[in-house]
Amino acid sequence: MITRVAEDQWHASDGDLVVGSGDTGRRPDGRLYISIDAWHDTAFDRLAAAMLAELPAPLYTLVDADDADTISNWRRAGFTPHRSERQYLLVPAKRSPPCRPRRG
């Protein structure tokens, strides 16, 4: 069973157990992104169908390029790749002590 539990959130249930959830978020540029986290492909498909039926187009989602299963799930829901980017995790570099001018 799919239930919309909030304006921006859905749950997929199997009896009393929540087996998946979906949510939306609007980016500063106005684009609406959706996300689904489900234990099984069946729950993913049900959540995607319910969300797509209730939300205005266009919709967007983000998927890691190495996550073939999730890409396959979104393709079944009718999504196609639009743009591919590389993301980098940046961490602070080791800092050298500040340079101090020599006296003399």
Side-chain angles (χ1 to χ4, degrees):
M1 170 185 267
I2 303 298
T3 306
R4 191 169 188 172
V5 296
E7 183 178 333
D8 61 348
Q9 191 173 28
W10 289 255
H11 282 169
S13 302
D14 185 2
D16 291 337
L17 184 64
V18 174
V19 295
S21 63
D23 60 65
T24 65
R26 192 163 299 275
R27 297 291 171 99
D29 63 6
R31 292 183 294 172
L32 186 60
Y33 277 73
I34 66 175
S35 176
I36 296 175
D37 183 19
W39 291 4
H40 305 286
D41 289 348
T42 305
F44 184 100
D45 294 343
R46 291 185 356 227
L47 279 163
M51 293 174 75
L52 292 173
E54 294 184 34
L55 295 170
L59 297 169
Y60 301 87
T61 192
L62 296 173
V63 179
D64 187 299
D66 296 329
D67 189 346
D69 292 337
T70 302
I71 291 170
S72 176
N73 288 342
W74 284 112
R75 284 183 185 265
R76 276 195 321 278
F79 282 67
T80 58
H82 173 70
R83 185 172 82 203
S84 178
E85 297 179 0
R86 290 183 184 222
Q87 292 182 323
Y88 296 95
L89 174 62
L90 301 177
V91 297
K94 290 184 179 180
R95 290 189 172 180
S96 300
C99 294
R100 300 197 191 275
R102 288 186 177 174
R103 291 189 177 188

